[in-house]
């Protein structure tokens, strides 16, 4: 027997005896419930307003999942084959034509608790995110629906994108009451972050101190719940957050890479206390529209997870002498000498400088019933019926004009090898660690790693290695200003092993002494207890693992963040790019010190929308949001090269994870580019 504790599942509608769609009737709450489906826990109903006939259609959700199919077949008498043959043209006529006949929307039913404890029920009217309704149409749409809905139900209009928000700004809220997406969903009690299923033992920690006291006893069958999980959480069966985080936080990137469920459940503590769940065996499932947790009445017979058998093989690192090179001189093939991160940045320099890469391949994939999305890309780039060569050239020109690659130098694996070989104590420490890994002596592993890290940080760097590092920049040490030192291992940014947040970066480096200390800290992070355990779990040998180092001049940023070229919470969505940002450095986003602003940008039809404002009370200015739309399209175009035939394995649908910043001059710089694990 199991008891479901909570769920936000989509309930399947009963098989209708007949299509219950109604035309021209006023909408009461009973009629709404008769016709509606449920999405993300909220009843919803599709509506079509026919301006030519001055009427509206209330669609039976079970019978009509798509507005356009209903309009084409039931109103205009078209065949579905004819609709599919010109689907994009038909969509443009109902979503983008300023003089359109049909207005398409969704009514959803919501409740909120008022100050006196009573629940208030209200309706929200919205369009699809690709809809370009201008202010006059939005006003008409709201008034038309308002006049036909039970007057006892408050009705709010939710703009579906930034363009609609700006159009509504000129209309009084008294005339068109509204609610923004982040206001409606920003404080949701339960939010899916990473889909997946797990059976395990629930472990709830209310404070970091509670977690630290129990951390050593956590195992692969545990489901860890706490307000905000630490970035160094071990590999377990699932995550639950009782406080808000974002889909691009380090821990959710880990959840995605590990293929484990992750969600925000803000009332979990009450549920755990009510049913004594801490330490209980549970079945936990996260989907786009469902978060469920079921208590099991016995300890299940669990098999070791698949990742216990997962084995990732690295190409042998190339350790012969190699020079310190400027990033723009590297290509993707240099990952075996300088590490994946440095090689990817070198490849980015090549793409921007040469403008020869095909950045359109993602749009060439069939998206049934569409043969491709080239026409949409041409529209985004301001072209009309271009040839394939013209489209490729314009895409390359657009990307080169939108972003820059960071300047800096890369230290090869050979320098780390020469440093390690210079000290018998280091060699002895490495030998002990290898022996412990071979014997699977996990009880002494952490102590050996910490001892070795201490040795690396405190062992003098050979003079020859010091000279190569010190000569990396032509300016004298005192004139260099602030430097940033980043990891670039061959065991990170890999398909199947991202290592997000596992290795160190040092962002406040001044002078030669601090530079050497920072380089040794990055080298030492290769043998941290956590990094050694994570690599050992997937079969990456310590013998094959080396650390390159990237050294860059610090660039002050006015805005920074992370984008992934997918919708992390809706994997089948090929349109949207998800972007997080905060004033200042991208590190604030990835380390969880602030809750960033969150945006979705449609890279097919265009447009964007605000998902959450995070730690800020106001969104970004319209001009900045428009710049972020260009950045998002740039990320999508780069996906064609970095995930397609340009680099490594060919799969243009494989998304990228990109860290970026906007300089104080307003230029975009991409500071890291890597696969995003799905």
């Amino acid at each position: 027997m199991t008891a479901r504790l909570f769920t936000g599942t989509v309930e399947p509608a009963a098989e209708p005896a007949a299509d219950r769609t109604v035309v021209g009737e006023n909408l009461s709450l009973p009629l709404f419930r008769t016709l509606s489906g449920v999405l993300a826990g909220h009843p919803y109903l599709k509506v079509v307003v026919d301006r030519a006939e001055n009427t509206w259609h209330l669609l039976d959700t079970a019978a009509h999942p798509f507005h356009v199919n209903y309009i084409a077949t039931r109103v205009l008498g078209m065949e579905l084959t004819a609709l599919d043959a010109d689907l994009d043209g038909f969509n443009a006529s109902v979503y983008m034509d300023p003089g359109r006949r049909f207005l398409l929307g969704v009514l959803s039913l919501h409740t909120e608790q008022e100050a006196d404890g009573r629940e208030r029920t209200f309706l929200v009217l919205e369009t699809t995110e690709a809809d370009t309704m201008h202010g006059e149409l939005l006003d008409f749409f709201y008034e038309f629906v308002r006049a036909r809905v039970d007057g006892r139900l408050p009705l709010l209009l939710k703009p579906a994108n930034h363009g609609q928000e700006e159009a509504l700004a000129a209309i009084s809220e008294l005339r068109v009451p509204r609610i923004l997406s982040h206001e409606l969903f920003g404080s949701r009690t339960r939010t899916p972050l990473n889909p997946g299923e797990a059976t395990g033992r629930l472990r709830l920690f209310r404070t970091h101190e509670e977690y630290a006291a129990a951390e050593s006893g956590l195992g692969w069958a545990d489901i860890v719940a706490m307000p905000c999980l630490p970035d160094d959480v071990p590999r377990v069966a699932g995550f639950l957050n009782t406080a808000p985080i974002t889909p691009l936080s380090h821990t959710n990137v880990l959840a995605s890479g590990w293929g484990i469920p992750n969600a925000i459940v803000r009332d979990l503590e009450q549920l755990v206390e009510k049913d004594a769940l801490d330490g209980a065996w549970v079945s936990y499932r996260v989907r786009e529209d469902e978060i469920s947790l079921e208590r099991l009445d016995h300890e299940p017979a669990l098999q070791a997870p698949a990742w216990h058998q997962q084995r990732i093989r690295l190409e042998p690192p190339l350790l012969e002498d190699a020079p310190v090179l400027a990033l723009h001189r590297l290509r993707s093939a240099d990952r075996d000498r300088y590490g994946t991160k440095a090689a990817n940045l070198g490849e980015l320099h090549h793409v921007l400088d040469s403008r020869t890469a095909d950045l359109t391949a993602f749009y060439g994939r069939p998206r049934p019933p569409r043969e491709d999305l080239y026409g949409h890309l041409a529209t985004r780039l301001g072209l009309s019926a271009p040839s394939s060569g013209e489209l490729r050239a314009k895409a390359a020109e657009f990307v080169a004009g939108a972003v820059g690659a960071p300047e800096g130098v890369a230290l090869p694996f050979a320098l780390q090898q020469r440093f390690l070989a210079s000290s018998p104590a280091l060699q002895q420490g490495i030998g002990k660690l290898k022996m412990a890994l071979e014997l699977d002596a996990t009880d002494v592993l952490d102590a050996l790693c910490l001892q070795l890290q201490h040795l690396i940080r405190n062992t003098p760097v050979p003079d020859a290695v010091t000279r190569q590092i010190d000569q990396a920049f032509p300016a004298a040490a005192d004139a260099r200003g602030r430097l940033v030192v980043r990891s670039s291992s061959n065991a990170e940014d890999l398909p199947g092993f991202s290592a997000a947040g596992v290795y160190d970066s040092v962002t406040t480096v001044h002078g030669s002494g601090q530079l050497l200390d920072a380089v040794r800290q990055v080298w030492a992070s290769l043998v941290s207890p956590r990094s050694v355990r994570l690599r050992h779990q997937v079969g990456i040998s310590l013998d094959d693992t080396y650390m390159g180092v990237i050294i860059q001049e610090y660039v002050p940023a006015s805005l920074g963040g992370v984008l992934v070229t997918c919708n992390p919470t809706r994997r089948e969505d090929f349109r949207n790019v998800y972007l997080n940002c905060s004033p200042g450095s991208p590190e604030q986003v990835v380390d969880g010190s602030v809750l960033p602003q969150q945006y979705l940008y449609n890279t097919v039809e265009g447009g964007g929308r605000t998902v959450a404002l995070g730690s800020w009370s106001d969104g970004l200015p319209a001009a900045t949001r428009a710049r972020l739309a260009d950045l998002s399209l740039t990320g999508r175009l780069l996906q064609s090269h970095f995930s397609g035939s340009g680099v490594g394995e060919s799969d243009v649908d494989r998304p990228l994870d990109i860290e970026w910043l906007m300089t104080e001059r307003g230029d975009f710089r991409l500071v890291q580019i890597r696969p995003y694990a799905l």
Side-chain angles (χ1 to χ4, degrees), residues 550-595:
I550 299 170
I551 305 173
Q552 300 165 281
E553 294 184 3
Y554 173 76
V555 178
S558 60
L559 192 69
V562 182
L563 71 86
V564 292
T565 57
C566 67
N567 183 345
T569 60
R570 191 179 170 201
R571 301 300 170 80
E572 72 278 9
D573 178 4
F574 61 83
R575 290 176 164 83
N576 284 292
V577 162
Y578 197 98
L579 183 147
N580 278 1
C581 63
S582 67
S585 165
E587 279 80 6
Q588 294 184 95
V589 174
V590 296
D591 68 13
S593 59
V594 298
L595 282 175

Side-chain angles (χ1 to χ4, degrees), residues 430 433 446 448-450 452-453 456 503 522-532 535 542:
I430 293 170
L433 181 56
D446 288 7
L448 290 174
C449 288
L450 293 173
L452 185 53
Q453 283 192 289
I456 292 173
Y503 304 123
V522 172
W523 282 340
S525 68
L526 192 69
V527 292
S528 70
R530 183 169 184 246
S531 69
V532 169
R535 292 195 305 269
L542 186 61

Side-chain angles (χ1 to χ4, degrees), residues 461-512:
V461 180
D463 290 343
V465 175
T466 299
R467 282 194 298 273
Q468 280 191 267
I469 296 173
D470 200 48
Q471 292 168 4
F473 289 94
D478 293 340
R480 289 175 187 157
R482 179 176 168 183
L483 300 176
V484 176
V485 178
R486 301 182 185 276
S487 66
S488 182
S489 171
N490 62 338
E492 65 178 322
D493 297 352
L494 304 173
F497 190 77
S498 73
V502 170
Y503 304 123
D504 285 353
S505 292
V506 187
T507 61
T508 55
V509 178
H510 297 272
S512 295

